């Protein structure tokens, strides 16, 4: 299933609020964020974007 703004993926994704298993999520193409909503209308979010802090941490870990 696909839309021009997002792609839908199937799996098991726990609600961050109530822990209910949600069967699908949306990957938003413009922000590289994933969202999923449980039956109680809680919206869970996660980003797939590295920040400067992530790169700096990885560099420190490689130097150790």
């Amino acid at each position: 299933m696909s839309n021009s703004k997002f792609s839908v993926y199937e799996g098991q994704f726990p609600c961050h609020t109530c822990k209910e298993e949600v069967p699908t999520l949306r990957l938003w193409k413009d922000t590289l964020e994933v969202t999923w909503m449980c039956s109680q209308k809680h919206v869970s979010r996660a980003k797939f974007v590295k920040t400067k802090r992530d790169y700096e941490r990885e560099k420190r870990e490689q130097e150790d």
Side-chain angles (χ1 to χ4, degrees), residues 1-53:
M1 182 185 256
S2 182
N3 182 307
S4 62
K5 294 182 181 182
F6 59 85
S7 297
V8 177
Y9 294 93
E10 294 182 4
Q12 293 184 347
F13 311 99
C15 172
H16 288 174
T17 304
C18 68
K19 307 303 183 215
E20 175 186 334
E21 291 289 327
V22 179
T24 60
L25 61 70
R26 291 179 177 183
L27 171 61
W28 297 89
K29 294 177 182 177
D30 59 342
T31 62
L32 294 180
E33 181 178 55
V34 292
T35 60
W36 58 102
M37 184 169 50
C38 70
S39 63
Q40 296 181 35
K41 305 292 185 200
H42 302 129
V43 176
S44 298
R45 301 176 184 277
K47 284 202 169 231
F48 287 105
V49 178
K50 281 189 175 183
T51 63
K52 182 177 179 184
R53 183 180 300 170

